[in-house]
């Protein structure tokens, strides 16, 4: 705090008193003018220097803050209705800046004085105090000056309490503490105030040095204790005194450490976090390490680690311990080992992959993409077991924390899951720990917490026997599925699609390497294919039921068809002998949909099914040896049935000639005796609007729009029009499945 | 996390080893996974267990050390297998751990603690504390305060004790490779800060993971039945149950003490299979207690939560605290706790 500032301050004081005496209205006008000038000035400034434009918005924010601070410094302007508005505006400015970027030491100095001098009402003081968040540091002088206001008796009890809480919360950001320590006696005297006592205790706890422990203070504390009973905050202070001067205190204090202080930080929790981050950057080891409460204050903490994921340390310690039992080769390899801390690039990893020192805690690899590469190709089972055990336990622990509805830990857990999922995406492979975690936690999951993370974990379940998995994962998921909203259902389909894709990718790359496998699980390619087909049938069942539950929602149908876009291409895309068709419930819903994009998607899928089936047929004819995987004729029949239905509806206007009989009387009653062409490309409810706009576009002068005129040549033009409107699926379908001789 | 820029759909060019192993199904990891699957798909606990037999301690045990473990309250933790732990290095571990403790204790303090950091750490094995020969040796860690006075008074005060054991841990032993030492049950007595420091050191050094081991009401009932079933020469304490009724502003505890011989008589009346305890018997035993209580007090204990069981054999609290009273059944009690710990780390 410079003397200049102080002068300015007293000037402000003088001006305030003047204001209250006479020139109230004038000054108010002047004030507003000044505001205007300032903002004009800043605008001009921005225009004059286009090069500095990038900082323009910030400049303005800064300027507004300057004005606001000056306003508060001057003190309240009485009278006038707009006073409240201006006050509110300036308060808002200060609050916004403070919570966003924090305030500079000078700003805090001035505003702290304002808040404690009692110039404004108590509500304003509270708000100011609450936003006294430093950008980086708070100057000690400001605190000392603020404390001096406490003696004047200008501020209310609640403001004092808030001030002490603030001081405790911000304690670590005060640049020096020597002068504050000189005020120890003053603070100590404040213990007598019952309302202040807990907070002052906390402050003293932070402030106390060995020299501060004096017999008279001990006596006073013991007196207070007898007066007020066993208060945890007094006990905390006493135990600290006892630590410094065991001889002075003979009373026995409970050995068990409890939470001694009411948490003063919680008002500023997010702000504190932000300040720490500003001060130290986002460090690999979390910031809590610097200011960990457990080290300074007796707050019970989770002792497993500071962050969920352990820091990267090479395992020199255990190596040192194992020296005696080392074999010669161990010795040789450890001699030239490459410390992890130096591992910075991929080429380095390649060069040293044979002599890499592994982290002492395997969980650390999650945060390091280079080591994930290593994990991916390592042959050492113990590395994977270490990761497995650590990850399983951590997931379990953290999840339990989350169940306590503790918001902070909930967020931590979400972040942790995100990290795991990132690693899984990076490796293109799921962790077994996550699979077992899902087994355990899915039955307890509410379908809401960490939804996106949970569903992503599902999509990374490693390939395995579906019938074994079903009771563990899918039955639980199914229960949630049927009782949840349509959005949940869509996300489930999305993640099942990804699961299918992951399984297929895995099988397609792996299966060709191992012709014979002796495993209790999937022994043959046929077994694996069974598992995949069971998954697809399960999704088929799920989607049929979901369509019924959601009244054939188009939105849902999109997600379902997305899944089948993967399914229809298994044979060609993944080179796996499997074709599974969609269930009728999905096929007909899509065929009769009112939405042209659904119809288009259906056409595309049918086209791909056709290609896959013809490819399969061709292969069957070529190599008769691989007979195990010939598709049953049922699949072909099913496909042909669907195809006939589609062509009958869309093209030949002879819908549902096979297997469906509707009494003509019923149709007559319903007024649709002429139903035959009502599902063709022109009249289909999803396409009728195209037909109309086609006619309007081609014959804009036509008085009436006669849709039935789309025939013969016009039909072909209409087709081209449809294709040009982006119905590519339809195009592919018609080109492949319909011979053009049959134009109606 | 560093940035990854792998396109999502890049197919892997080679199958990684773990996936192959997954197919072959012979690796420890694979066995682990299968055991978890089995456990999650069926009822987690087997429907029957053996009644603890008379002293199953191996003959080479040290009676003094065993006596030291009795009549103390221990806080339970489960522990994943220790990586590269070696019984031949216990001396070295003592040295490293005491250095670590000293460093930890000094770190947080605003003032110097002084030159005299008077603690000493010892590691020692607990011979004979195992169920089968395959079980790894149990071991004890202690933090002692060095006496201030010179040599004449060599008594060290024990500040903190923790021990690690594995009794009948076959199901876990099968699923790890030889680099690991399985001592899934950890018991601690002393200041929690010390437990935290020691635990942190173990986690950092042996890449393991400690989790508090709570005992749910279901398992407490099992303990009640199994311990009541134990034959005792003389009973040292009443059989006592504690139920907690969740209500505001303060929860209500119901304590229910029975003469141990009455409890034994009740048990004998519901007990059918010799040498074993079944789930039906446990349920029946507890139901009898409930109905007796209801007849007198018109309170349905089945609607409350069982939080503590104490018998002459041992007493256990749902928070994961245990006190073992009877030397004879030490191994039996630990075997069940090991089972619970293994279940937790699966």
């Amino acid at each position: 705090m410079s003397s200049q500032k102080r002068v300015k301050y007293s000037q402000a004081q003088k001006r305030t008193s003047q204001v209250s005496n006479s020139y109230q209205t004038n000054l108010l006008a002047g004030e507003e003018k000044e505001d205007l000038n300032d903002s004009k000035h800043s605008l001009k400034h921005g225009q004059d220097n286009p090069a500095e434009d990038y900082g323009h918005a910030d400049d303005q924010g800064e300027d507004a803050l300057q004005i606001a601070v000056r306003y508060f410094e001057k003190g309240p302007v009485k009278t006038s209705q707009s006073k409240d508005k201006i006050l509110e505006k300036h308060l808002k400015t200060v609050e916004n800046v403070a919570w966003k970027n924090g305030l500079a030491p000078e700003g805090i100095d001035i505003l702290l004085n304002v808040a404690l001098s009692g110039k404004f009402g108590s509500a304003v003081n509270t708000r100011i105090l609450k936003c006294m968040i430093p950008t980086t540091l708070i100057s000690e002088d400001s605190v000392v000056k603020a404390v001096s206001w406490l003696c004047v008796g200008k501020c209310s009890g609640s403001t004092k309490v808030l001030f002490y809480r603030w001081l405790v919360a911000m304690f670590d950001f005060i640049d020096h503490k020597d002068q504050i320590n000189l005020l120890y006696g003053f603070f100590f005297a404040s213990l007598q105030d019952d309302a202040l006592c807990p907070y002052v205790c906390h402050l003293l706890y932070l402030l106390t040095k060995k020299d501060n422990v004096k017999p008279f203070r001990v006596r006073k504390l013991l007196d207070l204790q007898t007066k007020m009973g066993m208060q945890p905050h007094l006990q905390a202070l006493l135990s600290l005194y006892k630590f410094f001067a065991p001889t002075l205190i003979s009373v026995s204090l409970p050995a068990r450490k409890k939470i001694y202080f009411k948490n003063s930080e919680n008002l500023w929790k997010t702000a504190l976090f932000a300040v720490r981050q500003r001060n130290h950057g986002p460090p690999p080891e979390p910031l809590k390490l610097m200011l960990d409460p457990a080290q300074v204050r007796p707050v019970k903490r989770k002792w497993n680690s500071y962050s969920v994921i352990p820091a990267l340390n090479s395992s020199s310690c255990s190596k040192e311990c194992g020296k005696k039992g080392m074999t010669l080769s161990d010795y040789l390899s450890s001699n030239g080992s490459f410390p992890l801390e130096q591992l910075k690039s991929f080429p380095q990893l390649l060069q040293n992959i044979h002599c890499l020192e592994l982290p002492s805690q395997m969980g650390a690899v999650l945060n390091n993409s280079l080591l994930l590469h290593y994990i991916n190709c390592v042959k050492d089972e113990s590395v994977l077991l270490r990761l497995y055990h650590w990850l399983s336990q951590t997931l379990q622990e953290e999840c339990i924390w989350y169940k306590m509805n503790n918001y902070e830990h909930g967020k931590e857990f979400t972040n942790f899951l995100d990290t795991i999922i990132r690693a899984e995406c990076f490796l293109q492979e799921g962790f077994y720990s996550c699979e077992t975690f899902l087994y355990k936690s899915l039955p307890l999951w509410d379908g809401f917490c960490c939804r996106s993370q949970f569903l992503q974990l599902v999509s990374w379940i490693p390939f395995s026997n579906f019938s074994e998995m079903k009771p563990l994962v899918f039955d639980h998921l199914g229960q949630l599925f049927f009782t949840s909203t349509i959005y949940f259902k869509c996300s489930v389909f999305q993640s099942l699609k990804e699961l299918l894709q992951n399984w297929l990718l895995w099988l397609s790359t792996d299966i060709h390497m191992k012709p014979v496998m002796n495993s209790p699980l999937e022994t043959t390619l046929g077994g694996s294919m069974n598992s995949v087909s069971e998954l697809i049938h399960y999704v088929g069942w799920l989607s049929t039921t979901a369509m019924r539950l959601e009244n054939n929602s188009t939105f849902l149908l999109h997600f379902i068809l997305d899944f089948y876009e993967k399914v229809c291409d298994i044979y060609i895309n993944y080179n796996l002998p499997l074709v599974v068709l969609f269930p009728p419930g999905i096929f007909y819903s899509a065929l009769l949909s009112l939405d042209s994009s659904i119809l288009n998607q259906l056409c595309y899928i049918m086209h791909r099914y056709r290609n896959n089936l013809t490819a399969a047929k061709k292969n069957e004819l070529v190599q008769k040896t691989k007979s195990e995987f010939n598709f049953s004729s049922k699949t072909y029949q099913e496909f042909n049935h669907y195809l006939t239905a589609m062509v009958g509806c869309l093209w030949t206007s002879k819908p549902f000639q096979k297997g469906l009989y509707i009494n003509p009387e019923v149709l007559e009653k319903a007024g649709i005796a002429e139903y035959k062409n009502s599902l063709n490309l022109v009249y289909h409810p999803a396409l009728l609007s195209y037909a109309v706009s086609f006619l309007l576009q081609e014959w804009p002068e036509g008085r009436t729009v006669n849709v039935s005129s789309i025939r013969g040549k016009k039909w072909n033009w209409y087709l081209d029009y449809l294709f040009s409107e982006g119905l590519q699926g339809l195009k592919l379908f018609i080109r492949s499945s319909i011979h053009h001789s049959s134009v109606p | 996390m560093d940035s990854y820029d792998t396109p999502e759909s890049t197919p892997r060019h080679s199958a990684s080893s773990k996936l192959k192993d997954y197919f072959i199904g012979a690796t420890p990891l694979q066995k682990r996974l299968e055991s978890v699957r089995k456990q999650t798909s069926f009822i987690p606990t087997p429907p029957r267990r053996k009644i603890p037999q008379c002293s199953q301690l191996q003959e080479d045990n040290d009676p003094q050390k065993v006596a030291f473990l009795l009549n103390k309250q221990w806080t339970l933790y489960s522990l994943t297998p220790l990586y590269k732990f070696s019984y031949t290095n216990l001396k070295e571990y003592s040295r490293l751990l005491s250095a670590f403790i000293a460093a930890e204790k000094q770190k947080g303090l605003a003032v110097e603690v002084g030159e005299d950091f008077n603690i000493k750490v010892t590691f020692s094995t607990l011979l004979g504390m195992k169920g089968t020969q395959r079980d790894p040796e149990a071991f004890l860690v202690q933090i002692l305060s060095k006496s201030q006075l010179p040599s004449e008074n060599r008594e060290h005060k024990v500040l903190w004790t923790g021990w690690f054991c594995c009794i009948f841990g076959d199901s876990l032993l099968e699923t790890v490779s030889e680099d690991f030492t399985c001592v899934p049950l950890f018991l601690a007595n002393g200041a929690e800060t010390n437990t935290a420091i020691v635990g942190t050191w173990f986690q950092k050094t042996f890449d393991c993971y400690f989790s508090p081991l709570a005992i749910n009401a279901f398992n407490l009932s099992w303990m009640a039945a199994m311990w009541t079933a134990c034959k005792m020469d003389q009973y040292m304490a009443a059989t006592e149950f504690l139920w907690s009724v969740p209500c505001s502003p303060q929860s209500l505890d119901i304590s229910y003490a029975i003469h141990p011989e009455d409890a034994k008589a009740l048990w004998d009346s519901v007990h059918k299979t010799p040498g074993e305890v079944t789930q039906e018997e446990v349920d029946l035993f507890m139901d009898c207690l409930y109905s007796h209580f209801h007849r007198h007090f018109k309170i349905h204990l089945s609607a409350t939560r069982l939080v503590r069981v104490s018998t002459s054999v041992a007493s256990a609290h749902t928070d994961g605290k245990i006190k073992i009273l009877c030397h004879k059944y030490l191994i039996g009690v630990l075997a069940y706790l090991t089972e619970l710990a293994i279940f937790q780390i699966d």
Side-chain angles (χ1 to χ4, degrees):
Chain A
M1 186 70 200
S2 58
S3 55
Q4 195 190 348
K5 269 272 145 61
R6 250 174 235 145
V7 172
K8 209 171 157 193
Y9 177 68
S10 58
Q11 280 172 348
Q13 284 284 68
K14 236 182 264 164
R15 260 161 88 181
T16 340
S17 52
Q18 274 179 3
V19 166
S20 46
N21 285 339
S22 53
Y23 312 112
Q24 291 164 349
T25 39
N26 277 349
L27 208 109
L28 184 67
E31 171 95 17
E32 276 184 340
K33 217 179 272 165
E34 193 178 49
D35 275 6
L36 272 173
N37 284 343
D38 265 342
S39 57
K40 233 184 242 160
H41 174 75
S42 76
L43 268 173
K44 223 166 120 196
H45 172 80
Q47 281 160 353
D48 287 350
N49 304 296
E52 287 173 25
D53 253 11
Y54 64 92
H56 192 193
D58 262 5
D59 281 354
Q60 265 193 335
E62 287 290 289
D63 284 347
L65 180 69
Q66 294 294 330
I67 294 163
V69 170
R70 223 174 305 149
Y71 167 83
F72 283 116
E73 203 177 2
K74 275 178 201 154
V77 185
K78 301 209 170 126
T79 75
S80 137
Q81 305 101 332
S82 60
K83 173 195 128 194
D84 281 350
K85 255 191 212 154
I86 294 171
L87 175 65
E88 181 63 28
K89 187 189 107 191
H90 289 315
L91 259 179
K92 273 268 157 60
T93 311
V94 173
E95 279 170 342
N96 285 343
V97 175
W99 283 93
K100 205 173 142 212
N101 294 321
L103 300 172
E106 300 81 38
I108 289 189
D109 186 79
I110 296 167
L111 290 171
L112 208 51
N113 263 308
V114 174
L116 293 170
S117 60
K119 276 187 230 168
F120 291 86
S122 159
V124 176
N125 294 341
T126 306
R127 279 178 69 180
I128 294 180
L129 266 179
K130 278 187 184 167
C131 64
M132 288 295 94
I133 299 154
T135 309
T136 50
L137 291 172
I138 300 167
S139 110
E140 186 184 19
D141 284 340
S142 321
V143 177
V144 173
K145 254 196 316 177
V147 172
S148 70
W149 276 111
L150 297 181
C151 315
V152 184
K154 287 227 172 180
C155 49
S156 67
S158 65
T159 311
K160 276 186 196 169
V161 168
L162 190 62
F163 172 72
Y164 274 108
R165 293 179 66 185
W166 175 82
L167 202 52
V168 167
M170 301 296 167
F171 191 77
D172 291 311
F173 303 125
I174 301 171
D175 53 0
H176 304 285
K177 277 138 200 159
D178 302 333
Q179 288 194 49
I180 299 179
N181 193 270
L182 294 179
L183 297 173
Y184 195 92
F186 170 76
F187 292 128
F188 196 87
S190 310
L191 282 175
Q192 272 160 326
D193 185 328
D194 285 352
L196 289 182
C197 183
Y199 305 104
V200 175
C201 264
H202 197 166
L203 179 66
L204 290 174
Y205 189 87
L206 297 173
L207 211 54
T208 303
K209 292 180 183 171
K210 201 167 182 174
D211 311 337
N212 299 125
V213 183
K214 298 273 158 56
F216 71 90
R217 285 192 182 133
V218 174
R219 264 199 307 280
K220 183 73 206 166
L221 276 182
L222 290 173
D223 280 353
L224 273 174
Q225 172 138 313
T226 39
K227 199 180 96 194
M228 311 210 297
M230 296 276 267
Q231 298 293 335
H233 43 269
L234 282 175
Q235 272 178 22
L237 194 54
L238 269 171
S239 64
L240 185 70
Y241 274 35
K242 193 170 180 175
F243 176 79
F244 283 123
T247 47
L248 284 183
I249 301 169
S250 53
V251 290
S252 71
L253 295 163
R256 238 187 101 82
K257 289 184 177 176
K258 286 186 199 144
I259 299 170
Y260 282 121
F261 300 110
K262 282 184 205 162
N263 197 350
S264 297
E265 281 184 9
N266 50 16
L267 272 175
W268 293 280
K269 198 158 230 168
T270 52
L272 288 176
F273 187 75
V275 178
R276 274 169 217 171
Q277 205 137 29
R278 276 199 293 269
N279 284 357
H280 305 288
E285 190 107 351
L287 339 131
K288 290 177 214 156
L289 198 68
M290 306 273 317
L291 303 163
D292 186 71
Q295 291 170 356
V296 192
R297 281 160 258 167
V299 175
K300 202 167 157 188
R301 71 176 162 98
K302 189 167 65 161
W303 57 269
N304 262 322
S305 59
Y306 297 108
S307 70
V308 182
I309 299 172
L312 203 62
N313 288 315
S314 42
S315 53
S316 50
C317 182
S318 62
K319 191 173 287 163
E320 197 182 316
C321 303
K323 241 171 207 160
K324 280 174 207 158
M326 256 200 287
T327 64
L328 183 62
S329 67
D330 279 340
Y331 184 72
L332 287 176
S333 64
S334 76
N335 228 4
S337 68
F338 187 79
L340 275 182
E341 289 79 358
Q342 289 175 26
L343 184 66
K344 293 283 182 286
S345 69
F346 191 70
Q348 267 183 330
L349 175 72
L350 290 183
Q351 274 165 22
N352 300 293
I353 200 154
H354 60 288
C355 59
L356 206 60
E357 251 176 43
L358 288 174
S360 61
Q361 285 173 283
M362 207 41 86
V365 300
L366 278 190
N367 268 340
N368 186 311
S369 59
L370 288 173
L371 284 177
L372 281 176
H373 276 302
Y374 181 77
I375 289 284
N376 200 27
C377 60
V378 72
K379 297 255 189 261
D380 186 357
E381 179 78 19
S382 57
V383 168
L384 303 174
L385 266 174
R386 284 162 71 188
L387 185 64
Y388 172 88
H389 282 302
W390 173 81
L391 194 52
S392 303
Q393 287 298 292
T394 312
L395 279 168
Q396 204 167 314
E397 271 300 88
E398 293 298 310
C399 194
I400 289 165
W401 276 89
Y402 189 48
K403 292 273 149 31
M404 314 269 277
N405 278 332
N406 186 325
Y407 176 73
E408 197 196 6
H409 285 291
K411 210 164 168 200
E412 206 173 66
F413 182 54
T414 316
N415 290 340
F416 180 54
L417 288 182
D418 281 333
T419 309
I420 294 171
I421 291 162
R422 269 203 303 274
E424 288 186 327
C425 286
F426 180 74
L427 295 171
Q428 285 290 297
E429 194 168 292
F431 295 119
Y432 294 127
S433 317
C434 298
E435 189 185 340
T436 53
F437 171 66
L438 283 178
Y439 295 164
K440 288 185 177 184
S441 58
L442 264 182
L444 307 171
W445 185 41
D446 60 359
F448 182 75
C449 296
C450 303
R451 174 188 292 178
S452 121
Q453 284 79 9
F454 257 69
L455 289 178
Q456 282 183 76
L457 285 184
V458 168
S459 69
W460 281 112
I461 293 178
F463 173 76
S464 58
N465 188 327
F466 183 80
S467 40
E468 255 178 53
M469 303 265 306
K470 191 170 168 286
L472 295 169
V473 175
F474 295 102
D475 286 351
H476 299 296
L477 198 59
Q479 283 177 356
L480 285 171
F481 179 86
F482 290 124
T483 52
S484 299
T485 61
I486 185 167
Y487 302 105
F488 184 82
K489 294 190 174 87
C490 293
S491 340
V492 169
F493 281 121
Q494 173 82 16
S495 82
L496 287 172
K497 183 187 85 180
E498 278 156 21
L499 176 70
L500 177 72
Q501 176 176 309
N502 290 334
W503 281 16
L504 291 173
L505 264 176
W506 183 73
L507 285 170
S508 64
T509 46
D510 258 43
I511 245 165
H512 306 289
M513 310 194 160
K514 292 183 291 290
V516 183
M517 286 159 283
N518 296 319
S519 137
L521 287 168
E522 304 297 338
T523 50
T524 59
L525 180 58
S528 311
M529 287 302 101
N530 258 342
S531 204
V532 177
S533 102
E534 275 172 59
L535 170 67
I536 297 171
H537 283 297
Y538 176 78
V539 177
W541 170 76
L542 212 57
S543 48
T544 311
T545 320
M547 283 299 283
R548 214 166 47 223
L549 284 174
E550 298 294 341
N551 298 323
N552 295 322
S553 153
T554 310
F555 187 62
L556 184 67
L557 194 51
H558 266 296
F559 282 87
I560 296 171
L561 290 182
D562 273 350
F563 179 82
Y564 281 101
E565 258 190 63
K566 280 273 165 311
V567 174
C568 66
D569 249 345
I570 293 176
Y571 190 86
I572 292 181
N573 269 0
Y574 300 93
N575 201 9
L576 294 171
L578 185 70
V579 178
V580 183
L581 290 168
F582 32 36
I586 299 306
F587 172 76
Y588 288 108
S589 302
L591 179 61
L592 304 178
S593 163
L594 301 182
D595 186 288
S596 61
S597 65
I598 291 280
L599 190 66
N600 183 50
Q601 211 174 353
L602 176 73
C603 288
Y604 175 77
I605 292 170
M606 284 299 284
H607 160 72
R608 293 307 304 173
Y609 265 133
R610 187 196 149 87
N611 283 1
N612 277 262
L613 284 168
T614 32
K617 195 95 188 171
K618 218 178 265 169
N619 275 348
E620 267 171 44
L621 294 176
V622 173
Q623 44 180 143
K624 299 220 162 175
T625 43
K626 222 178 165 187
S627 55
E628 192 193 339
F629 301 115
N630 283 355
F631 305 121
S632 72
S633 54
K634 212 181 133 227
T635 312
Y636 291 102
Q637 277 167 12
E638 223 179 317
F639 174 76
N640 284 333
H641 178 77
Y642 284 156
L643 188 65
T644 320
M646 263 182 93
V647 174
C649 285
L650 297 176
W651 195 264
T652 56
S653 304
K654 290 167 190 159
F656 310 124
Q657 292 206 311
K658 264 186 213 163
L660 190 74
Y661 174 76
I662 305 168
N663 194 340
E665 276 177 37
V666 175
L667 289 169
E668 217 163 298
K669 249 189 201 165
I672 42 169
E674 262 312 301
Y675 70 96
K676 291 214 172 207
N677 62 1
S678 58
L679 283 173
N680 72 16
L681 286 180
V682 176
Y683 288 96
H684 191 288
L687 298 176
L688 189 59
S689 61
Y690 284 92
V692 173
S693 29
F694 165 69
L695 290 174
L696 287 175
Q697 189 185 315
E698 297 296 314
W699 295 276
E701 67 282 357
R703 288 260 167 119
T704 53
V705 176
N706 187 5
V707 185
S708 62
S709 70
I710 304 180
R711 247 184 267 127
K713 240 185 197 163
K714 253 192 190 177
W715 178 273
N716 282 338
W717 294 341
Y718 174 57
L719 278 187
D720 288 337
Y721 172 76
L722 286 180
F723 301 158
S724 73
E725 288 293 302
L727 298 177
Q728 292 300 307
L730 185 69
K731 183 176 178 181
L732 290 167
F733 174 73
I734 288 178
R735 292 270 155 85
S736 65
S737 303
I738 291 167
H739 296 292
H740 262 266
S741 56
S742 62
V743 173
Chain B
M1 184 139 205
D2 340 17
S3 62
Y4 303 146
D5 45 11
T6 313
E8 271 185 37
S9 57
T10 314
R12 286 185 311 279
H13 294 294
S14 68
S16 60
S17 62
K18 51 192 146 168
L19 291 177
K20 275 181 216 142
D21 294 340
Y22 183 79
F23 250 4
I24 296 160
T27 67
L29 192 59
Q30 181 56 42
K31 283 186 192 153
R32 190 76 265 125
L33 194 66
E34 275 189 48
S35 94
V36 174
R37 279 203 182 143
K38 248 179 234 148
Q39 274 189 341
T40 359
S41 34
F42 307 111
I43 307 159
T45 40
R48 54 184 66 230
R49 290 195 177 85
K50 283 206 176 93
I51 295 176
Q53 294 302 304
C54 230
S55 182
Q56 292 165 306
L57 277 171
Q58 310 272 322
E59 276 157 21
D60 47 356
N61 76 80
D62 176 350
Q64 216 180 338
K65 271 188 183 163
V66 171
F68 175 80
L69 303 177
L70 299 175
N71 296 311
K72 275 199 180 60
Q73 174 154 293
W74 301 100
T75 307
L76 301 170
Y77 293 84
S78 69
L79 176 64
T80 62
L82 305 176
Y83 178 66
K84 296 258 176 184
F85 177 85
S86 162
Y87 285 94
T88 54
N89 289 333
L90 296 185
K91 269 231 173 75
E92 183 70 5
Y93 296 153
S94 309
R95 193 179 63 79
L96 289 170
L97 180 54
S98 50
F100 183 77
I101 293 171
E104 280 293 308
K105 295 226 158 164
Q106 255 155 341
K107 196 156 69 178
L109 293 176
V111 290
E112 81 284 12
V113 183
E115 69 294 339
D116 50 347
F117 205 81
N118 289 315
I119 64 129
K120 188 186 156 190
V121 177
T122 61
F123 276 65
S124 58
T125 50
L126 291 165
L127 285 176
M129 189 75 76
K130 42 165 82 173
T132 65
Q133 281 309 320
R134 280 188 68 190
D135 286 333
E137 213 70 61
F139 62 95
L140 184 80
V141 179
Q142 287 191 308
I143 303 178
L144 310 165
S145 69
K146 275 189 216 157
S147 105
Q148 306 272 22
L149 302 166
S151 58
E152 54 191 316
N153 189 358
R154 297 283 295 171
E155 278 286 294
H156 292 321
K157 196 181 158 218
V158 177
L159 295 178
W160 179 93
T161 310
W163 49 297
F164 300 74
C165 71
C166 175
I167 312 290
F168 297 109
D170 290 0
S171 67
L172 179 65
L173 294 170
E174 277 165 12
T175 60
V176 295
S177 57
E178 59 211 7
D179 283 335
F180 294 90
T181 306
C182 297
V183 274
L185 184 62
F186 170 65
L187 306 95
N189 172 284
E192 207 185 314
T193 45
N194 285 328
T195 311
I197 295 174
V198 174
T200 306
W201 183 79
F202 267 87
Q203 291 190 154
K204 281 191 173 156
T205 314
F206 305 110
D207 203 359
C208 54
Y209 196 99
F210 288 80
S211 326
L213 180 64
I215 309 171
N216 60 26
F218 177 82
N219 290 323
L220 281 176
S221 317
W222 263 92
M223 288 175 174
M226 283 197 294
W227 297 344
T228 306
C230 292
K231 282 196 190 68
M232 297 290 285
D233 302 329
Q234 64 172 69
Y235 292 102
M236 286 172 288
T239 301
E240 192 187 343
F241 299 84
L242 193 70
W243 279 276
S244 155
V245 186
C247 59
S248 63
Q250 274 173 322
S251 71
L252 183 68
D253 286 342
I254 300 174
S255 159
Y256 183 174
I258 315 165
H259 194 282
E261 277 161 16
D262 294 343
K264 181 75 163 74
L266 173 62
W267 170 254
D268 288 339
S269 72
V270 302
H271 180 53
K272 304 248 161 45
T273 13
E276 279 184 339
V277 181
T278 64
Q279 183 67 57
E280 296 82 52
E281 288 171 356
V282 175
D283 293 343
L284 197 55
F285 178 67
M286 294 307 284
D287 284 345
C288 289
L289 292 173
Y290 292 155
S291 58
H292 177 76
F293 196 83
H294 182 251
R295 199 175 315 132
H296 288 284
F297 301 103
K298 299 284 173 282
I299 293 174
H300 288 287
L301 284 177
S302 53
T304 65
R305 198 165 64 95
L306 182 59
V307 293
R308 202 183 70 208
V309 169
S310 14
T311 69
S312 296
V313 172
S315 77
H317 193 279
T318 188
D319 291 345
K321 300 248 164 59
I322 192 138
K323 191 189 263 185
I324 305 172
L325 305 171
C326 176
H327 168 267
K328 251 167 63 175
Y329 297 110
L330 176 64
I331 291 292
V333 172
L334 291 175
Y336 187 56
L337 292 175
T338 306
E339 188 187 322
L340 296 182
I342 292 178
F343 180 69
Q344 179 157 299
I345 62 173
D346 261 338

